[in-house]
Amino acid sequence: RAMTPTHPVTSPNLGGRTGDLDGNLNRVKRELRRIRFPVDFDAGAAREGNPMALLPALHYALLGFSRHVTSSLVDAGHDLQAKSDSRFVENAWKALRESFHYNPTLTPVQFLSPGFAERKLLLLADAIELCKRRHNEHARAARAADVKAVVAKEGGPRVARERASQDTHKDTKHKDTKGHETKSGDVKRR
């Protein structure tokens, strides 16, 4: 049940601008916090364009962040598990192009070589943003399917069932906190 957009993903949030290395580094750090990246991000090495600082974050975004993202990539035929760094990056680029309709500005060889720090940070931030979007799409679809299943099983949305339940209990008598007998449909005014 792979959900893929029918048109290329475009957004003012993707792409970013070059010339602001610190701003782009902060953007990546912020996005990694939002997806709960479990290890310390080596910002100093990332600032230098060290691929070993960026690979774990890319790996986590594509495979660790969300089961929805991982399953959509597996369903689309992208095998990213247990690969060497170069094979992982090549397959990640293929997944970004085919599943996310995103064309990375760097080649896999450039990503794995020292340098290109700002371009690598922009690419990583875009990949995280795309994974968050895919997660939200699939999570929303899964929730909708769950609601549909409950409605089919129980005969109506939860809100309608609760209202019906409240209506049947409206005329029952009970005592308030001061011991006065009231009906549940009555509204006390002060």
Side-chain angles (χ1 to χ4, degrees):
R1 129 175 106 121
M3 292 180 57
T4 56
T6 56
H7 51 73
V9 178
T10 57
S11 165
N13 294 336
L14 292 180
R17 292 189 174 171
T18 58
D20 185 12
L21 182 62
D22 290 332
N24 289 320
L25 181 61
N26 288 333
R27 177 180 170 213
V28 167
K29 288 173 17 181
R30 183 175 54 248
E31 293 300 323
L32 288 173
R33 276 193 307 274
R34 286 183 180 154
I35 64 170
R36 294 179 172 88
F37 185 53
V39 296
D40 289 334
F41 180 66
D42 188 353
R47 180 186 306 272
E48 300 299 318
N50 182 342
M52 294 304 120
L54 301 166
L55 268 172
L58 181 63
H59 189 275
Y60 179 75
L62 293 170
L63 296 174
F65 158 61
S66 165
R67 64 183 167 87
H68 298 294
V69 173
T70 305
S71 67
S72 75
L73 292 173
V74 168
D75 291 346
H78 300 291
D79 183 22
L80 302 174
Q81 296 284 356
K83 302 283 183 192
S84 67
D85 290 343
S86 62
R87 294 296 294 164
F88 169 75
V89 172
E90 288 171 12
N91 288 337
W93 263 231
K94 185 177 178 186
L96 287 169
R97 279 192 312 273
E98 294 176 3
S99 290
F100 293 100
H101 305 286
Y102 176 80
N103 194 18
T105 56
L106 296 174
T107 65
V109 172
Q110 289 171 324
F111 188 83
L112 290 170
S113 65
F116 302 102
E118 194 163 17
R119 291 283 179 191
K120 290 177 183 179
L121 290 170
L122 289 169
L123 191 146
L124 180 58
D126 289 349
I128 293 169
E129 177 66 28
L130 291 167
C131 289
K132 285 174 22 183
R133 288 181 190 179
R134 177 69 50 91
H135 168 80
N136 290 338
E137 288 171 11
H138 281 261
R140 233 181 269 118
R143 280 193 301 271
D146 290 346
V147 167
K148 191 174 184 178
V150 167
V151 168
K153 181 180 175 185
E154 298 178 11
R158 180 179 50 105
V159 174
R161 290 192 315 272
E162 288 174 357
R163 284 190 186 137
S165 172
Q166 289 172 352
D167 290 343
T168 59
H169 298 297
K170 237 181 192 175
D171 295 327
T172 57
K173 293 183 179 182
H174 57 268
K175 295 189 179 195
D176 64 11
T177 55
K178 294 182 181 176
H180 300 98
E181 198 171 275
T182 62
K183 289 183 185 178
S184 30
D186 295 345
V187 176
K188 273 193 164 180
R189 303 201 187 258
R190 294 180 192 215

